Amino acid sequence: MTEPAYGGPTALRIMLGTHLRRLREEAGISRTDAGWAIRGSESKISRLELGRVGFKVRDVQDLLTLYKLEDEVERDRLLSLAKQANDPGWWQRYDDLTPNWFHSYLGLEMAADLIRTFELQFVPGLLQTPEYARAVIALGRLDEPLPRAEQDRLVTLRMRRQEVLTRQRPARLWVIIDEAVLRRPIGGKTILRNQLEFLIEQSRRHNVTLQIIPFGKGGYTATGGAFTLLRFNEAELNDIVYIEHLTSAVYLDKREDLDAYIVTMDALSIAAAQPRDTERLIRAALDEI
């Protein structure tokens, strides 16, 4: 299935929800009254406006009528968004293997124009080789190893995610990693060596920037650990900070939170070696394997 222009249903739901909230507020209608109009509740309207649930085209029609949207072109556009937002993204075929809190991230990642990520333990998923990805996946299930077939599907999912970098309008990826990532033999030395060679190759892509914070730098900010910043071309989509925990994830889009993480990411970029030094640092790590 061809993905919608905006990257999939997650982004479309957020965009449509933003439009509906604006129309409701302009019409001076409360969430409670809007919920009543679609046989729902205030909380349902809140979830719809945040893009956290799917849309029934009938509900959108009723809301647009309640909000007195008379522009037929705009009305048709929003109803088209509602229909597209219900189409499943390709990643949903893996829902049985991935936690619920990760599903939204996959859709947002596909819709992003710029992905900035900081990692201090692993090579980020968008730059992993299949073998390295399998080793990382295995680390997360030491108590009960996944069957080989399920491992294969998760590796396929991770490799498919990397298409965001090679599609017709590729996303820009800006990665900052701790030098420790280059030295930690995830999966063994051979897998690490192949992974580092792949990093060199990917760092040469026009839409990929890779920086390394060398050991000699000492301490640096971001004491809270890894995080990702997502930025979108569409004005209706705010920047989002994604922070993954062991059994959950946090999505931040409030301005004060975004500002704090943007400042932290910028500080990490300053602390890291320049992109022109990336290949030299990786080859130094390769020489020691």
Side-chain angles (χ1 to χ4, degrees):
M1 179 183 296
T2 301
E3 293 302 322
Y6 300 105
T10 306
L12 292 173
R13 287 199 303 267
I14 295 174
M15 290 174 63
L16 180 55
T18 298
H19 280 293
L20 291 176
R21 183 179 69 249
R22 189 191 71 244
L23 289 171
R24 177 181 59 77
E25 292 173 346
E26 290 175 352
I29 296 172
S30 69
R31 287 195 180 97
T32 299
D33 290 341
W36 178 264
I38 61 170
R39 304 152 296 279
S41 62
E42 177 183 357
S43 62
K44 179 177 180 178
I45 294 297
S46 178
R47 292 194 299 273
L48 287 173
E49 292 181 349
L50 291 171
R52 293 178 179 171
V53 293
F55 291 86
K56 293 181 179 178
V57 175
R58 176 187 171 186
D59 288 345
V60 176
Q61 289 175 324
D62 290 345
L63 288 173
L64 295 180
T65 299
L66 177 67
Y67 302 156
K68 294 182 170 55
L69 179 63
E70 297 177 353
D71 185 331
E72 289 300 322
V73 173
E74 180 67 0
R75 187 183 183 94
D76 289 344
R77 187 178 77 86
L78 294 179
L79 290 174
S80 178
L81 277 181
K83 294 173 183 176
Q84 292 181 63
N86 289 327
D87 292 336
W90 61 261
W91 52 89
Q92 290 180 292
R93 72 191 64 168
Y94 301 96
D95 282 0
D96 59 319
L97 293 178
T98 55
N100 290 334
W101 44 263
F102 190 56
H103 299 169
S104 292
Y105 178 78
L106 292 173
L108 292 169
E109 184 180 73
M110 288 300 296
D113 175 63
L114 172 63
I115 303 167
R116 299 181 69 185
T117 188
F118 166 65
E119 180 59 72
L120 65 167
Q121 184 174 4
F122 303 115
V123 170
L126 292 179
L127 295 177
Q128 291 179 3
T129 64
E131 297 77 17
Y132 187 96
R134 186 182 298 277
V136 172
I137 290 167
L139 283 175
R141 295 294 297 269
L142 291 177
D143 56 333
E144 184 180 349
L146 283 174
R148 179 77 181 193
E150 293 186 6
Q151 288 185 27
D152 291 343
R153 290 180 62 208
L154 284 173
V155 171
T156 299
L157 168 61
R158 196 158 299 184
M159 296 303 103
R160 182 78 187 273
R161 284 171 54 196
Q162 295 179 6
E163 292 178 8
V164 74
L165 302 176
T166 59
R167 65 192 181 193
Q168 187 172 2
R169 290 171 49 191
R172 293 172 293 148
L173 177 64
W174 188 350
V175 171
I176 302 173
I177 59 176
D178 190 285
E179 186 177 355
V181 173
L182 308 180
R183 313 285 176 163
R184 187 171 289 111
I186 303 296
K189 292 185 177 182
T190 299
I191 288 177
L192 177 61
R193 174 174 287 278
N194 291 337
Q195 175 63 71
L196 296 186
E197 294 283 3
F198 184 69
L199 276 183
I200 291 174
E201 176 185 330
Q202 293 302 296
S203 70
R204 296 170 178 167
R205 298 183 62 87
H206 74 279
N207 58 322
V208 174
T209 299
L210 175 58
Q211 290 183 270
I212 299 165
I213 303 178
F215 288 141
K217 186 64 183 180
Y220 50 84
T221 187
T223 55
F227 66 96
T228 297
L229 278 166
L230 300 172
R231 177 160 292 174
F232 310 89
N233 271 332
E234 291 72 31
E236 299 92 340
L237 292 173
N238 293 328
D239 293 354
I240 290 176
V241 175
Y242 174 75
I243 307 168
E244 190 171 307
H245 301 304
L246 184 62
T247 58
S248 64
V250 175
Y251 296 82
L252 304 174
D253 62 0
K254 292 182 178 179
R255 190 70 258 170
E256 57 268 29
D257 293 328
L258 290 171
D259 288 344
Y261 277 92
I262 290 171
V263 167
T264 298
M265 187 69 85
D266 288 344
L268 287 168
S269 178
I270 293 171
Q274 292 296 306
R276 63 175 177 269
D277 295 322
T278 293
E279 184 167 341
R280 175 180 60 80
L281 290 168
I282 295 176
R283 292 206 178 280
L286 278 167
D287 290 342
E288 297 181 13
I289 296 177

Short mmCIF file of all heavy atoms in Angstrom, two decimals, residues 14-57:
data_model
loop_
_atom_site.label_atom_id
_atom_site.label_comp_id
_atom_site.label_asym_id
_atom_site.label_seq_id
_atom_site.Cartn_x
_atom_site.Cartn_y
_atom_site.Cartn_z
N ILE A 14 -3.15 13.43 13.87
CA ILE A 14 -2.75 14.63 14.62
C ILE A 14 -3.13 15.89 13.85
O ILE A 14 -3.64 16.86 14.42
CB ILE A 14 -1.24 14.60 14.91
CG1 ILE A 14 -0.91 13.44 15.85
CG2 ILE A 14 -0.79 15.92 15.54
CD1 ILE A 14 0.58 13.23 16.07
N MET A 15 -2.89 15.89 12.54
CA MET A 15 -3.23 17.05 11.72
C MET A 15 -4.73 17.32 11.74
O MET A 15 -5.17 18.46 11.93
CB MET A 15 -2.74 16.83 10.29
CG MET A 15 -1.24 16.85 10.12
SD MET A 15 -0.74 16.42 8.44
CE MET A 15 -1.48 17.78 7.54
N LEU A 16 -5.52 16.28 11.54
CA LEU A 16 -6.97 16.45 11.53
C LEU A 16 -7.46 16.90 12.90
O LEU A 16 -8.33 17.78 13.00
CB LEU A 16 -7.65 15.14 11.12
CG LEU A 16 -9.18 15.16 11.05
CD1 LEU A 16 -9.66 16.28 10.13
CD2 LEU A 16 -9.70 13.81 10.58
N GLY A 17 -6.91 16.31 13.95
CA GLY A 17 -7.30 16.71 15.30
C GLY A 17 -7.00 18.18 15.58
O GLY A 17 -7.80 18.89 16.21
N THR A 18 -5.87 18.65 15.08
CA THR A 18 -5.50 20.06 15.25
C THR A 18 -6.50 20.97 14.54
O THR A 18 -6.93 21.99 15.09
CB THR A 18 -4.09 20.31 14.69
OG1 THR A 18 -3.15 19.51 15.43
CG2 THR A 18 -3.70 21.78 14.83
N HIS A 19 -6.88 20.59 13.33
CA HIS A 19 -7.88 21.37 12.58
C HIS A 19 -9.21 21.40 13.33
O HIS A 19 -9.85 22.46 13.45
CB HIS A 19 -8.09 20.77 11.20
CG HIS A 19 -7.04 21.14 10.19
ND1 HIS A 19 -6.90 22.43 9.72
CD2 HIS A 19 -6.10 20.40 9.57
CE1 HIS A 19 -5.91 22.46 8.85
NE2 HIS A 19 -5.40 21.25 8.74
N LEU A 20 -9.65 20.25 13.83
CA LEU A 20 -10.94 20.18 14.52
C LEU A 20 -10.93 21.01 15.80
O LEU A 20 -11.93 21.66 16.14
CB LEU A 20 -11.29 18.73 14.81
CG LEU A 20 -11.62 17.85 13.59
CD1 LEU A 20 -11.85 16.41 14.01
CD2 LEU A 20 -12.84 18.40 12.85
N ARG A 21 -9.82 20.97 16.52
CA ARG A 21 -9.73 21.78 17.75
C ARG A 21 -9.83 23.27 17.42
O ARG A 21 -10.54 24.02 18.09
CB ARG A 21 -8.42 21.50 18.49
CG ARG A 21 -8.33 22.28 19.81
CD ARG A 21 -7.05 21.97 20.56
NE ARG A 21 -5.88 22.51 19.89
CZ ARG A 21 -4.95 21.77 19.31
NH1 ARG A 21 -5.04 20.44 19.31
NH2 ARG A 21 -3.91 22.33 18.72
N ARG A 22 -9.11 23.69 16.36
CA ARG A 22 -9.16 25.10 15.98
C ARG A 22 -10.57 25.52 15.58
O ARG A 22 -11.06 26.57 15.99
CB ARG A 22 -8.19 25.36 14.83
CG ARG A 22 -8.02 26.85 14.52
CD ARG A 22 -7.29 27.11 13.23
NE ARG A 22 -8.09 26.76 12.07
CZ ARG A 22 -7.80 25.80 11.21
NH1 ARG A 22 -6.72 25.07 11.36
NH2 ARG A 22 -8.59 25.56 10.18
N LEU A 23 -11.25 24.69 14.79
CA LEU A 23 -12.61 25.01 14.36
C LEU A 23 -13.56 25.06 15.55
O LEU A 23 -14.45 25.93 15.61
CB LEU A 23 -13.09 23.96 13.35
CG LEU A 23 -12.42 24.01 11.97
CD1 LEU A 23 -12.82 22.78 11.15
CD2 LEU A 23 -12.79 25.29 11.22
N ARG A 24 -13.38 24.14 16.49
CA ARG A 24 -14.26 24.13 17.68
C ARG A 24 -14.08 25.40 18.49
O ARG A 24 -15.05 26.04 18.94
CB ARG A 24 -13.97 22.89 18.54
CG ARG A 24 -14.80 22.83 19.83
CD ARG A 24 -14.47 21.62 20.66
NE ARG A 24 -13.06 21.58 21.06
CZ ARG A 24 -12.55 22.33 22.03
NH1 ARG A 24 -13.31 23.20 22.70
NH2 ARG A 24 -11.27 22.21 22.34
N GLU A 25 -12.80 25.77 18.71
CA GLU A 25 -12.53 26.96 19.50
C GLU A 25 -13.03 28.21 18.80
O GLU A 25 -13.56 29.13 19.45
CB GLU A 25 -11.03 27.05 19.78
CG GLU A 25 -10.53 25.96 20.72
CD GLU A 25 -9.02 25.94 20.87
OE1 GLU A 25 -8.34 26.60 20.04
OE2 GLU A 25 -8.52 25.26 21.78
N GLU A 26 -12.88 28.29 17.48
CA GLU A 26 -13.36 29.45 16.73
C GLU A 26 -14.88 29.55 16.79
O GLU A 26 -15.44 30.66 16.76
CB GLU A 26 -12.89 29.37 15.28
CG GLU A 26 -11.39 29.60 15.10
CD GLU A 26 -10.95 29.40 13.66
OE1 GLU A 26 -11.78 28.94 12.84
OE2 GLU A 26 -9.77 29.73 13.34
N ALA A 27 -15.54 28.40 16.89
CA ALA A 27 -17.00 28.38 16.96
C ALA A 27 -17.50 28.61 18.38
O ALA A 27 -18.72 28.77 18.60
CB ALA A 27 -17.54 27.05 16.44
N GLY A 28 -16.58 28.62 19.37
CA GLY A 28 -16.98 28.84 20.76
C GLY A 28 -17.76 27.69 21.35
O GLY A 28 -18.65 27.90 22.19
N ILE A 29 -17.44 26.49 20.95
CA ILE A 29 -18.15 25.30 21.41
C ILE A 29 -17.27 24.50 22.37
O ILE A 29 -16.08 24.30 22.10
CB ILE A 29 -18.57 24.42 20.20
CG1 ILE A 29 -19.57 25.19 19.33
CG2 ILE A 29 -19.16 23.09 20.66
CD1 ILE A 29 -19.89 24.49 18.03
N SER A 30 -17.83 24.06 23.47
CA SER A 30 -17.06 23.31 24.47
C SER A 30 -16.86 21.88 24.02
O SER A 30 -17.57 21.37 23.14
CB SER A 30 -17.80 23.31 25.81
OG SER A 30 -18.99 22.53 25.72
N ARG A 31 -15.89 21.21 24.62
CA ARG A 31 -15.67 19.80 24.30
C ARG A 31 -16.89 18.97 24.70
O ARG A 31 -17.22 17.99 24.02
CB ARG A 31 -14.42 19.28 25.03
CG ARG A 31 -13.10 19.78 24.47
CD ARG A 31 -11.95 18.95 25.01
NE ARG A 31 -10.67 19.41 24.50
CZ ARG A 31 -9.86 20.23 25.15
NH1 ARG A 31 -10.22 20.70 26.33
NH2 ARG A 31 -8.71 20.61 24.61
N THR A 32 -17.53 19.35 25.79
CA THR A 32 -18.71 18.60 26.24
C THR A 32 -19.82 18.66 25.19
O THR A 32 -20.41 17.62 24.83
CB THR A 32 -19.23 19.18 27.56
OG1 THR A 32 -18.20 19.06 28.56
CG2 THR A 32 -20.46 18.42 28.04
N ASP A 33 -20.10 19.86 24.66
CA ASP A 33 -21.15 19.99 23.65
C ASP A 33 -20.76 19.29 22.35
O ASP A 33 -21.61 18.70 21.67
CB ASP A 33 -21.42 21.47 23.38
CG ASP A 33 -22.12 22.15 24.55
OD1 ASP A 33 -22.71 21.43 25.39
OD2 ASP A 33 -22.07 23.40 24.65
N ALA A 34 -19.47 19.35 22.00
CA ALA A 34 -19.01 18.67 20.80
C ALA A 34 -19.16 17.16 20.96
O ALA A 34 -19.58 16.45 20.03
CB ALA A 34 -17.56 19.03 20.50
N GLY A 35 -18.84 16.65 22.15
CA GLY A 35 -19.00 15.23 22.41
C GLY A 35 -20.44 14.79 22.30
O GLY A 35 -20.75 13.72 21.74
N TRP A 36 -21.35 15.62 22.82
CA TRP A 36 -22.78 15.31 22.76
C TRP A 36 -23.24 15.19 21.30
O TRP A 36 -24.04 14.33 20.96
CB TRP A 36 -23.57 16.41 23.47
CG TRP A 36 -25.05 16.22 23.43
CD1 TRP A 36 -25.93 16.77 22.56
CD2 TRP A 36 -25.83 15.40 24.32
NE1 TRP A 36 -27.22 16.36 22.82
CE2 TRP A 36 -27.19 15.51 23.91
CE3 TRP A 36 -25.52 14.58 25.41
CZ2 TRP A 36 -28.22 14.84 24.54
CZ3 TRP A 36 -26.56 13.91 26.04
CH2 TRP A 36 -27.88 14.04 25.62
N ALA A 37 -22.68 16.04 20.43
CA ALA A 37 -23.09 16.06 19.03
C ALA A 37 -22.72 14.78 18.29
O ALA A 37 -23.35 14.43 17.29
CB ALA A 37 -22.48 17.26 18.32
N ILE A 38 -21.70 14.08 18.76
CA ILE A 38 -21.30 12.83 18.10
C ILE A 38 -21.54 11.62 18.99
O ILE A 38 -20.91 10.58 18.86
CB ILE A 38 -19.82 12.88 17.66
CG1 ILE A 38 -18.88 13.06 18.87
CG2 ILE A 38 -19.59 13.97 16.64
CD1 ILE A 38 -17.43 12.87 18.53
N ARG A 39 -22.48 11.80 19.94
CA ARG A 39 -22.88 10.68 20.79
C ARG A 39 -21.70 10.16 21.61
O ARG A 39 -21.56 8.96 21.83
CB ARG A 39 -23.51 9.55 19.93
CG ARG A 39 -24.68 10.03 19.09
CD ARG A 39 -24.86 9.25 17.83
NE ARG A 39 -23.73 9.41 16.92
CZ ARG A 39 -23.57 10.47 16.11
NH1 ARG A 39 -24.45 11.44 16.11
NH2 ARG A 39 -22.52 10.56 15.31
N GLY A 40 -20.84 11.09 22.02
CA GLY A 40 -19.66 10.73 22.80
C GLY A 40 -19.52 11.60 24.04
O GLY A 40 -20.50 12.14 24.55
N SER A 41 -18.29 11.73 24.50
CA SER A 41 -18.01 12.45 25.73
C SER A 41 -16.94 13.52 25.49
O SER A 41 -16.32 13.58 24.42
CB SER A 41 -17.53 11.49 26.81
OG SER A 41 -16.32 10.88 26.40
N GLU A 42 -16.73 14.33 26.50
CA GLU A 42 -15.66 15.33 26.45
C GLU A 42 -14.31 14.66 26.25
O GLU A 42 -13.47 15.14 25.49
CB GLU A 42 -15.65 16.16 27.73
CG GLU A 42 -14.53 17.18 27.80
CD GLU A 42 -14.51 17.93 29.11
OE1 GLU A 42 -15.41 17.71 29.94
OE2 GLU A 42 -13.58 18.74 29.31
N SER A 43 -14.08 13.53 26.91
CA SER A 43 -12.80 12.84 26.80
C SER A 43 -12.59 12.29 25.39
O SER A 43 -11.47 12.25 24.88
CB SER A 43 -12.70 11.70 27.83
OG SER A 43 -13.69 10.72 27.61
N LYS A 44 -13.68 11.89 24.72
CA LYS A 44 -13.55 11.40 23.35
C LYS A 44 -13.10 12.54 22.43
O LYS A 44 -12.22 12.35 21.58
CB LYS A 44 -14.87 10.83 22.85
CG LYS A 44 -14.79 10.33 21.41
CD LYS A 44 -16.08 9.69 20.94
CE LYS A 44 -15.97 9.20 19.49
NZ LYS A 44 -17.21 8.54 19.03
N ILE A 45 -13.68 13.72 22.61
CA ILE A 45 -13.27 14.87 21.81
C ILE A 45 -11.81 15.19 22.07
O ILE A 45 -11.04 15.50 21.14
CB ILE A 45 -14.15 16.10 22.12
CG1 ILE A 45 -15.59 15.84 21.66
CG2 ILE A 45 -13.60 17.34 21.42
CD1 ILE A 45 -15.75 15.63 20.17
N SER A 46 -11.40 15.12 23.33
CA SER A 46 -10.00 15.39 23.67
C SER A 46 -9.08 14.41 22.96
O SER A 46 -8.05 14.81 22.39
CB SER A 46 -9.81 15.29 25.18
OG SER A 46 -8.46 15.51 25.53
N ARG A 47 -9.44 13.12 22.96
CA ARG A 47 -8.60 12.11 22.30
C ARG A 47 -8.56 12.33 20.79
O ARG A 47 -7.52 12.16 20.15
CB ARG A 47 -9.10 10.70 22.63
CG ARG A 47 -8.92 10.29 24.08
CD ARG A 47 -9.12 8.78 24.26
NE ARG A 47 -10.47 8.37 23.89
CZ ARG A 47 -11.51 8.38 24.71
NH1 ARG A 47 -11.36 8.81 25.96
NH2 ARG A 47 -12.70 7.98 24.31
N LEU A 48 -9.71 12.71 20.21
CA LEU A 48 -9.74 12.98 18.77
C LEU A 48 -8.86 14.17 18.42
O LEU A 48 -8.10 14.13 17.45
CB LEU A 48 -11.18 13.26 18.33
CG LEU A 48 -12.14 12.06 18.28
CD1 LEU A 48 -13.55 12.55 17.99
CD2 LEU A 48 -11.70 11.05 17.24
N GLU A 49 -8.94 15.23 19.22
CA GLU A 49 -8.18 16.44 18.91
C GLU A 49 -6.68 16.24 19.11
O GLU A 49 -5.88 16.95 18.50
CB GLU A 49 -8.68 17.60 19.78
CG GLU A 49 -10.09 18.04 19.39
CD GLU A 49 -10.61 19.21 20.20
OE1 GLU A 49 -9.96 19.57 21.21
OE2 GLU A 49 -11.66 19.77 19.84
N LEU A 50 -6.31 15.28 19.94
CA LEU A 50 -4.89 14.97 20.13
C LEU A 50 -4.40 13.93 19.13
O LEU A 50 -3.20 13.61 19.10
CB LEU A 50 -4.66 14.47 21.56
CG LEU A 50 -4.82 15.52 22.67
CD1 LEU A 50 -4.78 14.85 24.05
CD2 LEU A 50 -3.76 16.59 22.57
N GLY A 51 -5.31 13.39 18.32
CA GLY A 51 -4.92 12.40 17.32
C GLY A 51 -4.57 11.05 17.90
O GLY A 51 -3.83 10.28 17.29
N ARG A 52 -5.13 10.73 19.05
CA ARG A 52 -4.77 9.48 19.73
C ARG A 52 -5.67 8.31 19.35
O ARG A 52 -5.40 7.17 19.74
CB ARG A 52 -4.79 9.69 21.25
CG ARG A 52 -3.68 10.63 21.72
CD ARG A 52 -3.74 10.86 23.21
NE ARG A 52 -2.65 11.74 23.64
CZ ARG A 52 -2.54 12.27 24.86
NH1 ARG A 52 -3.46 11.99 25.78
NH2 ARG A 52 -1.53 13.05 25.16
N VAL A 53 -6.75 8.58 18.65
CA VAL A 53 -7.67 7.51 18.24
C VAL A 53 -8.06 7.74 16.78
O VAL A 53 -7.87 8.82 16.23
CB VAL A 53 -8.95 7.49 19.12
CG1 VAL A 53 -8.61 7.09 20.54
CG2 VAL A 53 -9.63 8.87 19.11
N GLY A 54 -8.63 6.72 16.18
CA GLY A 54 -9.08 6.85 14.81
C GLY A 54 -10.36 7.67 14.71
O GLY A 54 -11.05 7.89 15.71
N PHE A 55 -10.67 8.11 13.50
CA PHE A 55 -11.85 8.94 13.27
C PHE A 55 -12.91 8.17 12.49
O PHE A 55 -12.59 7.47 11.52
CB PHE A 55 -11.48 10.18 12.44
CG PHE A 55 -10.62 11.17 13.17
CD1 PHE A 55 -9.24 11.04 13.18
CD2 PHE A 55 -11.19 12.23 13.84
CE1 PHE A 55 -8.44 11.94 13.83
CE2 PHE A 55 -10.40 13.16 14.51
CZ PHE A 55 -9.03 13.02 14.51
N LYS A 56 -14.18 8.33 12.89
CA LYS A 56 -15.29 7.88 12.07
C LYS A 56 -15.67 9.05 11.17
O LYS A 56 -15.84 10.17 11.65
CB LYS A 56 -16.48 7.47 12.94
CG LYS A 56 -16.22 6.23 13.79
CD LYS A 56 -17.46 5.88 14.60
CE LYS A 56 -17.21 4.63 15.44
NZ LYS A 56 -18.40 4.28 16.28
N VAL A 57 -15.78 8.78 9.89
CA VAL A 57 -16.09 9.84 8.94
C VAL A 57 -17.41 10.53 9.33
O VAL A 57 -17.55 11.75 9.24
CB VAL A 57 -16.17 9.30 7.50
CG1 VAL A 57 -16.63 10.39 6.53
CG2 VAL A 57 -14.81 8.75 7.07
#
